[in-house]
C-alpha cells in the first residue's frame, strides 16, 4: 500500500487542493481522540508529514480544546490512568489543546502499525504548528479524502457549511462566563493574530472536508480464528455496523467490486491455498444512508498443516523375532501427541512418537503411518508417508571349525580317537544349539589334515535371527572348553542364510468336521520343535484368545460353535512366537431327524387299535425307541408301536428317537404327536316340552348325535334293552300319569364307530300347575319413607314373568318378580297378590295368597341452635337434635345437600366459628330396629359474620422525625359501646387504652409494630385486630455544605449562597443533625468541621466565611470533602446518614474526574445533592455535569439566579428529610 494516497475512482487532487487540505484549521485538536489510549489513530491512512505534525502541535485559538467531544464536554479518560499532577496542571492551564506528541501508547510513540513510518519531511510537517489535524488525514486507507460519487462543493456550499459548522461549534462548546474567558488564553495577545488566517483557511478547506463531518456508519470486520489459518480449517468472518438498523452485508475479496458472499457472517469451510487474499465487507440498506463505510481489509493467510515424518530402524529387511522401531517427528510447533495407524484401519494401533514392535511376526506385515494431534491450532498435522513393513523368515547355515593338536590316529577317520572326538563335539554342539538356539546339528567332516593339528569342520543349521559370528564363537568356546579343553575354536565362517519356515503350529481335530449338535469336539495344537511352548486358541479374526493349552475341547457342540479356529505357540525363549496354525473351519450339523406317523389319525375312539411308525431317512443301522411325555424311559422299541384297544389311559404325547453304533450315535427326537382317545359319540336327547309336563299335553323326544353321520336311532324306557320306538323322534300324545318314567336313546352305524354312547336318561314327570308364593319385607306395619319389597316366587319351572295386583282389581299395578315401593306413604295401604305368566307351558301359575300392607308416619327429628344466627367469627355454636318417640336413636348431622355426615351425636358444637362454617345444617336419627331412620329435621341456615374491624390511623401521615409527636387512632364503624386497647409487637399485654394512643417525642425505644382491638359486653365481645403499623426510627444525619467561592460568583451572590445554607441548617437544626461548611475554587477550604460546629453559635461561624475566589475545580473539592470531612477525625459519626450539598454557579475545569470522585463517595455511603445556580447551566453538557455530581437525577436542583434559591429550600428539605426520619410501614 505504501505512503501514497489512493484515489480509486477519481483523479488525484491538484497541488492547490493538496495544499488546502494541509493548511491549518481551527477544528478541535487531534490529540482529543476517542480511541481508548488517547493516541491519534492513523490506522488505514498515511501518517502526517513533519510539517503537518508541527502544525498539529502548535497552539490553536479554538476555545476549550481540552474539553472532549463527550456529552458533558469533558475529555474521556475511560480505559486509562488518571492524568498525573503535571498533566492535570496542563489541563487547568488556559491552553488551546495539548500537544500531539504526548501520545498515550506504551512507549510514547505514535502508532503507525500497518503502514510505513513517516519520512523525514513528513515528520517535520507533523511538528509544524497547526491549529487542527491536517484535512488530508482522511479515514480512507491511504489517507486521501474520498470524493467518489459526488461533485466537489461550490463556493456557496462552502460558505453555507462554514456557517453551519461555526453554529454547530458554538452549540457544542461549554458556556463560559466573560470573567472566566478573560482569565484564559484570550488574554495572550500573541494568539489573536491567527484568527483571520484560520477563518480564511476554513473557507478553502470546507470544499473537501465538511461533507465528512457526518461520517457514514463504519462496518467493523472480525475474523475467527486469527490469520494464519491452516488448510482444512473453518474460518468465520463477521461484519457488524453498530449504528442504525436493517443492514444487509456484502463481502468482497481484494480490489474486486463483485461480492463473494452476502450476510453478516461469511464462513469458509475447509480452507485451501485458493482462499488466500484480502477480505472486506460493507453494509447496504434501503433508507439513507444506503451504504456504510467499507470495513478495513483483513489479510487471510492459508498455511499447509505441519508434516509428520516417519523413520524406521532397521532400514533393511526385518526378520521374524527382530525388534522394529518406528519414529514420528513434526519439526514445526510444539505440544504434539502422536498416533500410529495400520492400513486400512482408522483406529490407532499405538500412541507416542515411538512405536516399537518387539519380536516381529508375520501378522506385523503391513502399511504403517503416523499423524500428530495437539490442543492448540492446528489440532492435527498432515499424515506421514506410508511405510510398508515386510517381515521375513530365515535359516542360517554356518561352518564351525575346531582345531585339535595333531595325533596320527586322527588321520584315520575310523579310529577310536577320531570317533571319540567327533562324538564329543557333536554332543556338545547338539546340546548347545538345541538349548540356546533351537537348531539342528547336521554333521561333521574333516576339512584338512596337516602336521601338528587336525581341523574338523562341523556344518550346523540353526534358526535365530539375532546370531552373529562373534556371539556364536564366544558361546561355542565356552561350551567346548568345558568338555574338551584340548580343542580350540577357529574363526567361524558364515556359509549362507537360507529362508526357511518359522516353527509352525499344527492343528488337528477329533472328530473330523462336520460334527453334529451335542457332540464333543477336541482340537489339538502341536509344534514339533523346539520345546516349552504355551498354546493359545483363537476364533475368526479376533486377537483375543478363546482358550489356552494344547487341547481345546467343545462340549455339547451347537450352531453357535460354527466358525474358524486356529492356534499359536508362545514361549519365553527365542523364538517367542510360532507361526499360526492353519485355519480350521468347524461345521456343526443338526442330527438326523426321526419322523413319526400314526394310523388311524387322532382322535381315536376307545377300543380301537392304534399303530405308530418311526422312520429316519438319512444314514442306516438305526434302532428305534418310543417315549411318552417327558419320560426318558422307553415304553417300547422297534420302528412300529401298536396300541390294542385304546383307552383313556393311552392319551398323551408320543415320540421316537433313533440310535446307532456309528456317528452320529443318536438322531434328533421326532416331533411329539398327541394321541387323543375320545369317548364314542354321545347321543343327546331333548324333550319338548321340558319335564315336568302337564296331563293331556303332547311330549316330543328327539335324539341327535352331532359328530359323524349315517346314524340310526333306537328308544328305550327304564332299564329295558328292548326298543320302545325307532327314529330320531319319539312322540307321546295326551300325556297321562302312566307315561311317567325314564327315557333314553342310542345311535348305530356301519362305519367306525359302529355305535354311540347311550344318551342320558330323561325323567318324564306329569304335574299340577305351579303355585305363586308371595313374601313381604319388612313385615307390616311399615313407616312412611321406608322401602317395601314384595317378592313373588314360583318354585317349579322357569321363564316366569310376574304381575302384581291390588285388591280385587285385575289390572296389574306392577310387573317383575319383585315389587318395590320406595318412600312408602298412606296411599300405599291395601291388599297385594301376584301371579306368574310364561310363554312356555304352563303359561300361567296359580295366584298367590293376598297380603295386607299398613303404612305409618316416621318419627320427626327436632333441631335447636344456640346462639341464634347470625353468629360472629370465633364464637361457639351449639346445635341439638331430639326425637321424642321410640328409643335407641343415634344422630347424624348434615350440611347442605351432601349425604355425607359432618358429625355424629345429638349435639353438634362449632368452636371458633369461621366463614367456612356458613351453610344449611340439618339432622336425622338412625337406629338398628325399624324404623331405621327418622324424618330429617328442619334446615337451619347458619350465617357467620366477620367480627367488626378495628381501623388504625396515624398522624402525621408523612415521615416522622425523632422528637415529634405521633398520634394513633382506633375506630370501629359498626355497633357501639366499644372500648379500645393498644398492643405492641406480639405481646398480648396492652400498652395503652382508649381510642387514641399518643407518643410524644419519638425516640429509638418507640420502634416496633403497633395495633389495636375493640372489646364490648354484648355479642360480639371483641373486634378483629387492626392491621399492624411499624414505627422505624433511624439515626440522625451529618450534612456538609460545599459552596462555590470562585471568582465567577460576585460577593452579593456569595452572601445569598450563605443565606440559603443558613435557611436549610436552621430548618433541620431541631433534629439530631450535625453540619459542616466548606468552600472551593482553585483550592478547597474546610471552614467548619462536624467537631467544630456550634449548635448555638453556628451562624457566626458561617458569617465569618469569606469568599476565596479562583477557578472552578468542583471534582477536586468533592474529593477533599469526602476524604477529609466525612471522617471520624473531623467529627463524622459512623452511624449517621451522610449528606453532601454542592452549590456551584458554573462548569468545572476537572469534570473528567467525576467518575473516580463519585465512586469514592459511594464507597463512604454519602448522598450527594447538586444545586446549579445561574444561566450557565442551561446547556446540556452543564446539566450532565450536575447529574455526575448528584447521587441520582432527583437529587439535582437548578435555578437561574440566587434569588430563586429560597424557592427550592422546601423541596430540598423534603428530599433530605426522608432518609433521616422515622418511617411508617403498614402490614
Amino acid at each position: 500500500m505504501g505512503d501514497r494516497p489512493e484515489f480509486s475512482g477519481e483523479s488525484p487532487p491538484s497541488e492547490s487542493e493538496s495544499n488546502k487540505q494541509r493548511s491549518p484549521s481551527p477544528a478541535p485538536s487531534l490529540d482529543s481522540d476517542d480511541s481508548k489510549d488517547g493516541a491519534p489513530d492513523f490506522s488505514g491512512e498515511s501518517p502526517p508529514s513533519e510539517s503537518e505534525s508541527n502544525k498539529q502541535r502548535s497552539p490553536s485559538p479554538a476555545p476549550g480544546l481540552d474539553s472532549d467531544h463527550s456529552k458533558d464536554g469533558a475529555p474521556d479518560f475511560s480505559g486509562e490512568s488518571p492524568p498525573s499532577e503535571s498533566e492535570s496542571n496542563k489541563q487547568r492551564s488556559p491552553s488551546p489543546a495539548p500537544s500531539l506528541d504526548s501520545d498515550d501508547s506504551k512507549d510514547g510513540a505514535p502508532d503507525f502499525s500497518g503502514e510505513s513510518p513517516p519520512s523525514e519531511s513528513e515528520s517535520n510537517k507533523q511538528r509544524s504548528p497547526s491549529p487542527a489535524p491536517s484535512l488530508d488525514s482522511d479515514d480512507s486507507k491511504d489517507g486521501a479524502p474520498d470524493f467518489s460519487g459526488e461533485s466537489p462543493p461550490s463556493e456557496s456550499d462552502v460558505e453555507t457549511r462554514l456557517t453551519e459548522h461555526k453554529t454547530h461549534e458554538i452549540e457544542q462548546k461549554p458556556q463560559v462566563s466573560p470573567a472566566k474567558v478573560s482569565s484564559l488564553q484570550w488574554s495572550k495577545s500573541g494568539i489573536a493574530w491567527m484568527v483571520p488566517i484560520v477563518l480564511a483557511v476554513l473557507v478553502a478547506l470546507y470544499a473537501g472536508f465538511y461533507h465528512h463531518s457526518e461520517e457514514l456508519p463504519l462496518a467493523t470486520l472480525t475474523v475467527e480464528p486469527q490469520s494464519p489459518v491452516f488448510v482444512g480449517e473453518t474460518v468465520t468472518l463477521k461484519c457488524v455496523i453498530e449504528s442504525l438498523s436493517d443492514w444487509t452485508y456484502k463481502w468482497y475479496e481484494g480490489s474486486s467490486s463483485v461480492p463473494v458472499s452476502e450476510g453478516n457472517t461469511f464462513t469458509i469451510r475447509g480452507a485451501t491455498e485458493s482462499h488466500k487474499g484480502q477480505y472486506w465487507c460493507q453494509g447496504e440498506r434501503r433508507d439513507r444512508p444506503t451504504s456504510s463505510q467499507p470495513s478495513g481489509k483483513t489479510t487471510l493467510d492459508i498455511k499447509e498443516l505441519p508434516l509428520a515424518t516417519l523413520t524406521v530402524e532397521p532400514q533393511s529387511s526385518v526378520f521374524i523375532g527382530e525388534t522394529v522401531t518406528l519414529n514420528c517427528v513434526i519439526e514445526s510447533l510444539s505440544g504434539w501427541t502422536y498416533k500410529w495407524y495400520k492400513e486400512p484401519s482408522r483406529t490407532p494401533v499405538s500412541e507416542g512418537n515411538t512405536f516399537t514392535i518387539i519380536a516381529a511376526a508375520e501378522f506385523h506385515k503391513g502399511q504403517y503411518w503416523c499423524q500428530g494431534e495437539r490442543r492448540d491450532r492446528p489440532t492435527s498435522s498432515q499424515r506421514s508417508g506410508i511405510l510398508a513393513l515386510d517381515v521375513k523368515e530365515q535359516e542360517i547355515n554356518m561352518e564351525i571349525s575346531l582345531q585339535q593338536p595333531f595325533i596320527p590316529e586322527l588321520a584315520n577317520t575310523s579310529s577310536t580317537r577320531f570317533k571319540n572326538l567327533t562324538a564329543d563335539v557333536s554332543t556338545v554342539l547338539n546340546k548347545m544349539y538345541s538349548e540356546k538356539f533351537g537348531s539342528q546339528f547336521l554333521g561333521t567332516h574333516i576339512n584338512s589334515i596337516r602336521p601338528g593339528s587336525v581341523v574338523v569342520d562341523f556344518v550346523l543349521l540353526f534358526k535365530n535371527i539375532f546370531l552373529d559370528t562373534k556371539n556364536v564363537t564366544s558361546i561355542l568356546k565356552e561350551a567346548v572348553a568345558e568338555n574338551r579343553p584340548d580343542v580350540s575354536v577357529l574363526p567361524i565362517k558364515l556359509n549362507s542364510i537360507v529362508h526357511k519356515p518359522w516353527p509352525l503350529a499344527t492343528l488337528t481335530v477329533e472328530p473330523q468336521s462336520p460334527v453334529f449338535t451335542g457332540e464333543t469336539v477336541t482340537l489339538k495344537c502341536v509344534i514339533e520343535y523346539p520345546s516349552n511352548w504355551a498354546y493359545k486358541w483363537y476364533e475368526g479374526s479376533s486377537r483375543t484368545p478363546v482358550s489356552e493349552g494344547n487341547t481345546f475341547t467343545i462340549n455339547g457342540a451347537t450352531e453357535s460353535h460354527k466358525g474358524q479356529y486356529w492356534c499359536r505357540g508362545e514361549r519365553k525363549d527365542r523364538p517367542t512366537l510360532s507361526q499360526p496354525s492353519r485355519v480350521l473351519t468347524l461345521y456343526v450339523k443338526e442330527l438326523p431327524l426321526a419322523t413319526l406317523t400314526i394310523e388311524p389319525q387322532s382322535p381315536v375312539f376307545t377300543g380301537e387299535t392304534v399303530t405308530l411308525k418311526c422312520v429316519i431317512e438319512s444314514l442306516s443301522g438305526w434302532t428305534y425307541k418310543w417315549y411318552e411325555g417327558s419320560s426318558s424311559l422307553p415304553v417300547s422299541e422297534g420302528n412300529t408301536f401298536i396300541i390294542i384297544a385304546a383307552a383313556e389311559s393311552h392319551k398323551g404325547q408320543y415320540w421316537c428317537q433313533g440310535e446307532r453304533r456309528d456317528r452320529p450315535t443318536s438322531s434328533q427326537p421326532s416331533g411329539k404327536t398327541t394321541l387323543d382317545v375320545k369317548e364314542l359319540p354321545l347321543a343327546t336327547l331333548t324333550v319338548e316340552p321340558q319335564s315336568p309336563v302337564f296331563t293331556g299335553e303332547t311330549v316330543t323326544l328327539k335324539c341327535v348325535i352331532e359328530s359323524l353321520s349315517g346314524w340310526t336311532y333306537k328308544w328305550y324306557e327304564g332299564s329295558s334293552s328292548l326298543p320302545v320306538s325307532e327314529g330320531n323322534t319319539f312322540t307321546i300324545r295326551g300325556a297321562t300319569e302312566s307315561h311317567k318314567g325314564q327315557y333314553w336313546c342310542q345311535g348305530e352305524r356301519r362305519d367306525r364307530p359302529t355305535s354311540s354312547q347311550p344318551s342320558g336318561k330323561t325323567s318324564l314327570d306329569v304335574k299340577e300347575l305351579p303355585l305363586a308364593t308371595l313374601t313381604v319385607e319388612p313385615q307390616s306395619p311399615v313407616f312412611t319413607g321406608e322401602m317395601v319389597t314384595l317378592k313373588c316366587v314360583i318354585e317349579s319351572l322357569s321363564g316366569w314373568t310376574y304381575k302384581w295386583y291390588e285388591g280385587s282389581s285385575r289390572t296389574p299395578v306392577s310387573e317383575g318378580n319383585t315389587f318395590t315401593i320406595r318412600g312408602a306413604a298412606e296411599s300405599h295401604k291395601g291388599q297385594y297378590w301376584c301371579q306368574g305368566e310364561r310363554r312356555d307351558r304352563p303359561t300361567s301359575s296359580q295366584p298367590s295368597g293376598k297380603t295386607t300392607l299398613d303404612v305409618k308416619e316416621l318419627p320427626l327429628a327436632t333441631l335447636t341452635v344456640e346462639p341464634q344466627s347470625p353468629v360472629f367469627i370465633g364464637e361457639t355454636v351449639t346445635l341439638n337434635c331430639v326425637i321424642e318417640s321410640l328409643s335407641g336413636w343415634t344422630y347424624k348431622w348434615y350440611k347442605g345437600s351432601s349425604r355425607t355426615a359432618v358429625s355424629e351425636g345429638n349435639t353438634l358444637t362449632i368452636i371458633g366459628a369461621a366463614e367456612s362454617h356458613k351453610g344449611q345444617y340439618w339432622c336425622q336419627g338412625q337406629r338398628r330396629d325399624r324404623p331405621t331412620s327418622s324424618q330429617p329435621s328442619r334446615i337451619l341456615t347458619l350465617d357467620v359474620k366477620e367480627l367488626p374491624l378495628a381501623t388504625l390511623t396515624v398522624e402525621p401521615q408523612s415521615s416522622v422525625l425523632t422528637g415529634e409527636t405521633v398520634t394513633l387512632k382506633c375506630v370501629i364503624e359498626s355497633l357501639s359501646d366499644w372500648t379500645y386497647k393498644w398492643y405492641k409487637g406480639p405481646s398480648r399485654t396492652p400498652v395503652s387504652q382508649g381510642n387514641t394512643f399518643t407518643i410524644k417525642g419519638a425516640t429509638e425505644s418507640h420502634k416496633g409494630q403497633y395495633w389495636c382491638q375493640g372489646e364490648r359486653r354484648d355479642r360480639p365481645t371483641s373486634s378483629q385486630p387492626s392491621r399492624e403499623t411499624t414505627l422505624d426510627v433511624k439515626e440522625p444525619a451529618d450534612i456538609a455544605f460545599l459552596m462555590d467561592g470562585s471568582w465567577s460568583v460576585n460577593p452579593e451572590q456569595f452572601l445569598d449562597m450563605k443565606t440559603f445554607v443558613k435557611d436549610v441548617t436552621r430548618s433541620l437544626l431541631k433534629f439530631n443533625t450535625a453540619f459542616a461548611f466548606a468552600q472551593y475554587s482553585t483550592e478547597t477550604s474546610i471552614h467548619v468541621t462536624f467537631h467544630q460546629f456550634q449548635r448555638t453559635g453556628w451562624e457566626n461561624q458561617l458569617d465569618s466565611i469569606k469568599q476565596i475566589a479562583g477557578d472552578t475545580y468542583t471534582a477536586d473539592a468533592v474529593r477533599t470533602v469526602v476524604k477529609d470531612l466525612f471522617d471520624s477525625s473531623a467529627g463524622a459519626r459512623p452511624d449517621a446518614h451522610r449528606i453532601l450539598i454542592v452549590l456551584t454557579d458554573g462548569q468545572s475545569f476537572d469534570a473528567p474526574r467525576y467518575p473516580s470522585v463519585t465512586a469514592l463517595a459511594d464507597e463512604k455511603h454519602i448522598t450527594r445533592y447538586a444545586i446549579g445556580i445561574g444561566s450557565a447551566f442551561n446547556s446540556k453538557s452543564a446539566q450532565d455535569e450536575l447529574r455526575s455530581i448528584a447521587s441520582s437525577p432527583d437529587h439535582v436542583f437548578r435555578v437561574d439566579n440566587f434569588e430563586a434559591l429560597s424557592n427550592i429550600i422546601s423541596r430540598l428539605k423534603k428530599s433530605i428529610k426522608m432518609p433521616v426520619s422515622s418511617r411508617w410501614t403498614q402490614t
Side-chain angles (χ1 to χ4, degrees), residues 507-530:
L507 186 154
T508 59
V509 63
E510 181 62 36
Q512 291 298 317
S513 185
V515 297
F516 295 93
T517 53
E519 286 188 321
T520 296
V521 184
T522 302
L523 295 90
K524 288 187 178 179
C525 193
V526 176
I527 302 172
E528 296 295 338
Y529 69 93

Side-chain angles (χ1 to χ4, degrees), residues 310-326 340-343 349 355-369 385-392:
L310 187 154
T311 60
V312 62
E313 181 62 36
Q315 294 288 332
S316 58
S317 297
V318 177
F319 297 99
I320 290 177
E322 282 191 317
T323 295
V324 185
T325 302
L326 296 89
W340 293 89
Y341 301 86
K342 183 179 180 183
E343 287 292 342
V349 295
F355 173 32
T356 302
I357 299 172
I358 299 172
E362 279 284 325
F363 62 82
H364 289 118
K365 283 183 179 179
Q367 293 180 319
Y368 293 85
W369 54 276
I386 292 178
L387 168 72
L389 181 64
D390 187 17
V391 181
K392 296 180 178 180

Side-chain angles (χ1 to χ4, degrees), residues 223 225 227 229 235 237 268 275-279 298-302:
V223 62
S227 187
V229 297
V235 185
L237 297 92
I268 299 172
H275 293 115
K276 278 187 179 179
Q278 288 185 318
Y279 293 85
T298 186
T299 300
L300 186 61
D301 186 14
I302 312 291

Side-chain angles (χ1 to χ4, degrees), residues 1075 1086-1095 1098 1101 1130-1131:
F1075 299 89
I1086 298 176
H1087 298 291
V1088 178
T1089 67
F1090 295 115
H1091 268 321
Q1092 297 167 343
F1093 180 78
Q1094 301 171 2
R1095 299 195 74 82
W1098 64 272
Q1101 290 178 310

Side-chain angles (χ1 to χ4, degrees), residues 857-1003:
E857 286 289 337
L858 283 172
L860 178 63
T862 303
L863 185 153
T864 59
V865 62
E866 180 61 35
Q868 292 298 318
S869 184
V871 296
F872 294 93
I873 289 176
E875 288 188 320
T876 297
V877 185
T878 303
L879 296 90
N880 285 316
C881 193
V882 176
I883 300 171
E884 299 292 339
S885 60
L886 303 177
S887 62
W889 292 103
T890 59
Y891 298 87
K892 291 191 177 180
W893 294 89
Y894 301 88
K895 184 177 180 182
S897 59
S898 173
R899 297 300 299 175
T900 303
V902 296
S903 184
E904 294 188 4
N906 68 322
T907 301
L908 170 60
T909 303
I910 300 172
I911 299 171
E915 283 281 330
S916 60
H917 293 115
K918 279 184 178 179
Q920 292 180 320
Y921 293 85
W922 53 279
C923 64
Q924 191 172 22
Q926 294 183 355
R927 62 199 292 269
R928 292 185 178 180
D929 300 328
R930 295 182 49 249
T932 57
S933 65
S934 70
Q935 294 185 60
S937 71
R938 69 183 176 90
I939 292 175
L940 168 73
T941 300
L942 182 64
D943 186 14
V944 181
K945 291 188 175 181
E946 289 283 344
L947 288 171
L949 178 64
T951 304
L952 185 154
T953 59
V954 62
E955 183 63 34
Q957 290 291 329
S958 61
S959 302
V960 178
L961 299 173
T962 54
E964 287 190 323
T965 297
V966 184
T967 302
L968 297 92
K969 288 186 178 179
C970 195
V971 176
I972 300 172
E973 300 292 339
S974 59
L975 304 178
S976 60
D977 300 327
W978 292 102
T979 60
Y980 299 89
K981 292 187 179 180
W982 293 89
Y983 303 87
K984 183 179 180 183
S987 173
R988 299 299 298 176
T989 303
V991 296
S992 183
Q993 293 190 7
N995 70 322
T996 301
F997 175 32
T998 302
I999 300 172
K1000 295 180 179 179
T1003 65

